[in-house]
């Protein structure tokens, strides 16, 4: 008999297939004492295993490219963290085996993060994966991972490590469902990049029996267990209609009555450019530059290296708009040479623009590199600062851009509620706003974006979040300036219509979502989008907001 479960849909599409579970293994090594004369050998084994795992993560990243590469390189840095390695060697020196020392050292660090209120919960999940990989190598056992199957299947897991998600084969993995995670977790972001239907934060997902047939709707978050024939036909019809709409969709983003809404791509580096161009992106709305800073946690990349990487992206969009976010370091993206190691709440400390203003040489080099990269190119370069809190921040960034000789528009990201509430003040210093809805939701609701248990508060349909978007968009309109959205909210086709109705002037998303958003926007007039936005804001919950907008757009 068909039953329905509901999680959080994070990647569009429908998948129907048999359940296969992510492989698991007991990776807690026995606690045994080793003779003192074996300590040097055990320490060498630990170092070799750590280096091998780090190299493997980097190799996987090179294969995956794009955002996945940045995530996996960050994990490699975590594996080789000097403080963790020092703790491992200390434990071995007092009698632990290499595998037990790694297990205990990582457990100790994990406990510190958990006790800090899980502000780094996303890093905790990555930390567990790194630990498992190192311990598995030391024990000489296979690393738990994606099941071996010749037939396509729906993958079920408690959570998916980035190293596994990045290299999923879409021809075999029809979709995936996880018990943990949230709409802005690493796995969710990578699923969208892969174009694989995915649902996260589904309680009891791992209790689904191996071989059970399920239908996964990555748009709604619904999981149909043992779907009926009628349900399968309904989902197949919806999927076919979606494919037809996507095939018929082309050209610039616009509503049915011709109101233009440029559809831009979020990219994590040059490797993402090809997919963005192929998807018909009208430019880049968020060029994350962190990938350049992950190769060496001890120093910033040279100006020459930055110029080369930036120019590769700028050349791909002649006469297009490319919005570059300067380095967003801190919180879940720590860099040894920049970010403090002892902050009690890193997400509320020195991160984003605050980090760069504390290290003006790093900011100056990046801005100078961007200026050089754009020389002679017919591209519309725009540069924005992350984590702008007020007009003082905005002025400091604009001044730095001018001092670096940067001929571009300067903008501010709206990720802190104060920036949305005082957007008109900030716009006295900069020329555009870009809403980062992931962090804006995190700070509005005090809900960590990586923690599955608070995922409902990370839902971009939350009316309070829509209110802040509306406030920023209205301020930009009053000042005659632009206000885009580059957070994951823009990748939801229905929500894209609502954002347009709120006054947002451009939408930026992963390349895989552009066709969905373009096709959906083209079905409705601007007036319909405005009515849907008003209806959503008049509700009290995310689910009510979604239903209200859907009702308006479907003419109910």
């Amino acid at each position: 008999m068909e039953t329905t479960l509901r999680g959080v849909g994070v990647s569009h599409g429908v998948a129907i297939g048999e359940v296969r579970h992510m492989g698991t293994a007991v990776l807690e090594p026995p606690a045994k004492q080793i003779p003192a004369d074996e300590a040097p050998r055990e320490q060498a084994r630990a170092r070799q295993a750590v280096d091998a795992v780090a190299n493997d993560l980097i190799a996987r990243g090179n294969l995956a490219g794009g955002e996945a590469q940045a995530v996996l390189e960050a994990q490699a840095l975590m594996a080789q963290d000097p403080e963790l390695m020092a703790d491992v060697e200390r434990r071995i020196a007092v009698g632990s085996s290499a595998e037990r020392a790694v297990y205990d050292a990582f457990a100790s660090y994990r406990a510190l993060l958990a006790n800090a209120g899980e502000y780094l919960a996303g890093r905790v999940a990555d930390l567990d994966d790194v630990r498992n990989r190192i311990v598995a190598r030391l024990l000489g056992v296979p690393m738990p991972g994606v099941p071996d199957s010749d037939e396509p299947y729906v993958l079920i897991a408690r959570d998916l490590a980035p190293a596994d998600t990045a290299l999923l084969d879409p021809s075999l993995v029809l979709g995936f469902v996880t018990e943990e995670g949230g709409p802005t977790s690493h796995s969710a972001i990578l699923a969208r990049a892969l174009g694989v239907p995915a649902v996260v934060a589904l309680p009891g997902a791992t209790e689904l029996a191996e071989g059970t047939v399920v239908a996964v709707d990555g748009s709604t978050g619904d999981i149909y267990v043992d779907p009926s024939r009628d349900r399968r036909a309904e989902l197949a019809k919806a999927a076919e209609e979606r494919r037809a709409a996507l095939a018929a969709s082309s050209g610039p983003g616009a509503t049915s009555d011709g109101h233009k809404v440029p559809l831009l791509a979020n990219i994590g580096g040059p490797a993402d450019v090809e997919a963005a161009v192929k998807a018909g992106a009208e430019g880049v709305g968020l060029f994350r530059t962190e990938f350049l800073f992950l190769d060496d946690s001890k120093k910033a990349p040279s100006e020459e290296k930055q110029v080369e990487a930036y120019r590769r992206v700028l050349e791909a969009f002649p006469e297009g708009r490319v919005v570059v976010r300067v380095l967003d370091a801190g919180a879940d993206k720590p860099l040894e040479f920049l970010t403090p190691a002892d902050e009690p709440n890193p997400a509320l400390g020195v991160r984003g623009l605050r980090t760069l203003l504390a290290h003006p040489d790093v900011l100056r080099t990046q801005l100078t590199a961007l200026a050089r990269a754009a020389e002679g190119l017919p591209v519309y370069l725009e540069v924005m600062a992350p984590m702008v809190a007020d007009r003082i921040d905005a002025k400091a960034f604009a001044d730095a851009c001018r001092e670096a000789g940067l001929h571009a528009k300067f903008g501010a990201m709206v990720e802190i509620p104060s920036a949305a509430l005082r957007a008109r003040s900030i716009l006295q210093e900069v020329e555009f706003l870009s809403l980062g809805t992931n962090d804006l939701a995190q700070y509005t609701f005090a809900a960590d974006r990586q923690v599955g248990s608070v995922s409902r508060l990370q839902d971009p349909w939350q009316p309070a979040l829509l209110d802040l978007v509306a406030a920023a968009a209205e301020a930009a309109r009053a000042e005659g300036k632009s206000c885009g959205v580059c957070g994951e909210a823009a990748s939801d086709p229905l929500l894209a219509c609502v954002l347009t109705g709120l006054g947002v002037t451009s939408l930026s998303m992963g390349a895989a979502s552009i066709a969905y958003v373009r096709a959906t926007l083209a079905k409705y007039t601007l007036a319909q989008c405005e009515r849907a936005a008003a209806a959503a804001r008049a509700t009290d919950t995310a689910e009510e907001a979604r239903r209200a907008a859907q009702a308006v757009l479907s003419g109910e």
Side-chain angles (χ1 to χ4, degrees), residues 236-259:
K237 181 182 178 183
E240 182 55 41
E241 289 174 350
R242 188 179 290 124
R243 279 193 292 270
L246 293 180
S249 172
S250 62
T255 58
S256 63
D257 56 341
H259 174 72

Side-chain angles (χ1 to χ4, degrees), residues 321 433-436 482-486 504-507:
R321 179 185 179 199
L433 300 177
S434 184
L435 289 141
S482 63
C483 177
V485 168
C486 64
V504 166
T505 56
S506 66
L507 299 166

Side-chain angles (χ1 to χ4, degrees), residues 257-401:
D257 56 341
H259 174 72
K260 293 182 179 179
V261 187
L263 302 181
L264 312 171
N266 293 343
I267 67 171
D272 290 340
V273 167
E274 183 179 354
V277 172
K278 186 176 180 181
E282 297 169 59
V284 174
L286 172 61
F287 178 8
R288 302 180 179 95
T289 58
E290 289 74 39
F291 74 99
L292 280 166
F293 293 78
L294 293 172
D295 288 344
D296 186 345
S297 66
K298 300 184 188 305
K299 63 180 181 180
S302 69
E303 184 177 316
E304 293 301 326
K305 181 177 180 180
Q306 293 189 54
V307 170
E308 179 185 357
Y310 301 149
R311 195 169 180 89
R312 285 171 61 193
V313 174
L314 297 177
E315 287 175 336
F317 295 94
E319 300 187 12
R321 179 185 179 199
V322 176
V323 184
V324 179
R325 182 182 70 189
V326 293
L327 175 64
D328 184 13
D332 63 342
K333 295 185 283 285
L335 290 171
E336 186 179 333
F337 70 97
L338 279 183
T339 50
D342 56 352
E343 285 189 305
N345 285 339
L348 300 180
V350 180
R351 65 165 294 194
L353 180 60
R354 298 169 188 173
T355 301
L356 293 174
L357 293 179
H359 298 82
D361 54 324
V362 175
L363 176 58
R364 188 181 308 110
T365 299
Q366 185 169 26
L367 294 175
T368 302
L370 284 165
R372 289 179 55 198
E375 286 177 0
L377 296 180
V379 67
Y380 296 97
L381 175 63
E382 302 184 9
V383 182
M384 62 185 181
M387 302 301 293
V388 171
D390 57 15
R391 183 172 179 174
I392 294 173
D393 279 352
K395 184 178 187 306
F397 178 65
D399 287 346
C401 290

Side-chain angles (χ1 to χ4, degrees), residues 114-450:
N115 291 335
E118 291 194 297
Y119 279 93
L120 297 181
R123 304 292 288 183
V124 167
D126 293 354
L127 189 74
D128 288 345
D129 180 56
V130 171
R131 176 203 64 202
N132 286 346
R133 291 176 185 279
I134 297 170
V135 172
R137 183 171 289 273
L138 287 166
L139 291 174
V141 300
M143 178 62 206
V146 177
D148 184 18
S149 174
D150 295 329
E151 297 296 324
Y153 59 89
V154 173
L155 181 62
I156 305 291
R158 182 168 298 282
D159 201 356
L160 281 172
D164 294 315
T165 313
L167 297 182
L168 289 179
D169 182 352
S171 67
L172 285 176
V173 181
L174 301 171
F176 69 74
V177 181
T178 66
E179 214 166 270
E180 299 178 356
T184 58
S185 65
H186 284 152
S187 293
I189 292 170
L190 295 178
R192 286 188 284 271
L194 287 167
V196 176
V199 172
V200 301
L202 177 70
T206 55
E207 296 173 14
L208 291 168
E210 190 88 1
T212 302
V213 175
V214 296
V216 179
D217 190 329
S219 300
T220 65
D222 289 328
I223 307 293
Y224 302 98
V225 182
D226 294 322
S228 65
R229 182 178 301 174
D230 289 346
R231 178 71 67 188
R232 293 188 190 211
E234 173 191 323
L235 292 172
K237 181 182 178 183
E240 182 55 41
E241 289 174 350
R242 188 179 290 124
R243 279 193 292 270
L246 293 180
S249 172
S250 62
T255 58
S256 63
D257 56 341
H259 174 72
K260 293 182 179 179
V261 187
L263 302 181
L264 312 171
N266 293 343
I267 67 171
D272 290 340
V273 167
E274 183 179 354
V277 172
K278 186 176 180 181
E282 297 169 59
V284 174
L286 172 61
F287 178 8
R288 302 180 179 95
T289 58
E290 289 74 39
F291 74 99
L292 280 166
F293 293 78
L294 293 172
D295 288 344
D296 186 345
S297 66
K298 300 184 188 305
K299 63 180 181 180
S302 69
E303 184 177 316
E304 293 301 326
K305 181 177 180 180
Q306 293 189 54
V307 170
E308 179 185 357
Y310 301 149
R311 195 169 180 89
R312 285 171 61 193
V313 174
L314 297 177
E315 287 175 336
F317 295 94
E319 300 187 12
R321 179 185 179 199
V322 176
V323 184
V324 179
R325 182 182 70 189
V326 293
L327 175 64
D328 184 13
D332 63 342
K333 295 185 283 285
L335 290 171
E336 186 179 333
F337 70 97
L338 279 183
T339 50
D342 56 352
E343 285 189 305
N345 285 339
L348 300 180
V350 180
R351 65 165 294 194
L353 180 60
R354 298 169 188 173
T355 301
L356 293 174
L357 293 179
H359 298 82
D361 54 324
V362 175
L363 176 58
R364 188 181 308 110
T365 299
Q366 185 169 26
L367 294 175
T368 302
L370 284 165
R372 289 179 55 198
E375 286 177 0
L377 296 180
V379 67
Y380 296 97
L381 175 63
E382 302 184 9
V383 182
M384 62 185 181
M387 302 301 293
V388 171
D390 57 15
R391 183 172 179 174
I392 294 173
D393 279 352
K395 184 178 187 306
F397 178 65
D399 287 346
C401 290
R402 282 187 283 267
E403 289 169 9
L406 187 61
H407 298 292
K409 284 187 175 181
F410 317 142
M413 290 199 70
V414 177
E415 301 167 282
I416 303 172
S418 63
L421 296 171
R422 300 290 294 174
R424 197 159 183 180
S425 171
I426 287 171
L427 284 166
Q428 305 310 304
E429 305 294 342
V430 296
E431 298 171 82
F432 69 93
L433 300 177
S434 184
L435 289 141
T437 52
N438 305 343
D439 270 323
L440 186 57
Q442 172 172 255
Y443 292 118
T444 298
F445 297 102
D448 193 299
R449 56 189 286 189
Q450 302 292 343

